[in-house]
Amino acid sequence: MSYPGTSTGVMDECLAWFKYLSQEATWVPNGRPPLRVSEMDAAWRHNAANWLLRQAGTLAMRFGIGEIAFIYSTTAPTVISDANGEPVPGPDMPVFAPMGEMAQDALERELDGSQQARDADPEGWLKTTPLYQALVKDLPDNIAALARHWSDCDLRTGKGTACTCWKRHLSECPVSGLRDITAHCHCNDNSPEWTL
């Protein structure tokens, strides 16, 4: 799979967004290698989901173009004859190539209707995508406050050597059972997409 930002053409870029938003396993941080959504902590997933929501209008358009590119680029093997009872494969053909005019019109109406629905409520549509749903699955109730921790944590921003915002951070930090977590907090290893 190619990821958004790695393609050269507009259609390739939109196709990458279509495939990206249609899957639930992988997140691609800005300027960093892809990683599994399951490896992201809750604050990062919250921030990433909010970043997607802020881009919903643009992503709805890109998704629609990518959907069209995907449909018309999908191919299937053909059989051109048989030899000794075995099929002889021919070239791969576009799946929708043999479509009749009525079927083509129906497909175009369906694609237009889907795009109009995305344009009418981009955020509502985005919340139905597999990637967004994977990012927000099982997030704790206090996640917004926890996610804000990433914006001003002295340890993460390099302003200090200790995490001084531990009260908001306790529910997520792996050493939260300790009274003073500042000396052991190593939660600056991720680069979340910021909410603030």
Side-chain angles (χ1 to χ4, degrees):
M1 172 178 178
S2 63
Y3 294 98
T6 61
S7 303
T8 54
V10 173
M11 290 297 276
D12 288 343
E13 181 80 13
C14 292
L15 180 59
W17 275 107
F18 171 77
K19 291 179 180 179
Y20 182 50
L21 293 169
S22 298
Q23 57 84 41
E24 59 189 21
T26 305
W27 176 252
V28 184
N30 187 21
R32 299 185 77 182
L35 74 156
R36 298 190 64 75
V37 170
S38 61
E39 296 173 357
M40 298 168 68
D41 64 39
W44 193 357
R45 288 189 294 121
H46 170 80
N47 287 339
N50 280 342
W51 182 86
L52 286 175
L53 282 178
R54 290 193 302 271
Q55 313 303 317
T58 301
L59 294 178
M61 179 197 61
R62 288 179 176 174
F63 186 91
I65 295 170
E67 181 179 43
I68 292 168
F70 177 75
I71 288 171
Y72 286 100
S73 67
T74 302
T75 60
T78 59
V79 176
I80 55 175
S81 65
D82 67 275
N84 300 323
E86 295 294 321
V88 176
D92 286 353
M93 296 292 290
V95 170
F96 294 102
M99 256 186 169
E101 187 175 328
M102 289 177 58
Q104 182 74 25
D105 289 345
L107 174 63
E108 288 176 6
R109 280 193 304 275
E110 177 68 27
L111 292 172
D112 286 345
S114 296
Q115 188 61 47
Q116 288 173 6
R118 283 189 292 272
D119 291 342
D121 183 11
E123 287 189 8
W125 159 77
L126 189 91
K127 289 178 180 178
T128 68
T129 63
L131 179 58
Y132 180 87
Q133 291 180 355
L135 289 168
V136 299
K137 184 179 179 182
D138 299 327
L139 289 178
D141 293 337
N142 67 339
I143 192 59
L146 178 61
R148 278 192 296 276
H149 162 78
W150 287 105
S151 299
D152 55 15
C153 177
D154 286 346
L155 181 63
R156 187 201 58 78
T157 60
K159 294 177 184 174
T161 58
C163 174
T164 57
C165 29
W166 63 273
K167 287 181 182 177
R168 287 184 295 170
H169 178 65
L170 283 177
S171 64
E172 188 70 12
C173 185
V175 291
S176 61
L178 301 175
R179 184 105 173 124
D180 178 10
I181 66 167
T182 59
H184 304 287
C185 176
H186 298 290
C187 302
N188 64 334
D189 297 332
N190 295 325
S191 298
E193 282 63 27
W194 310 114
T195 52
L196 302 178

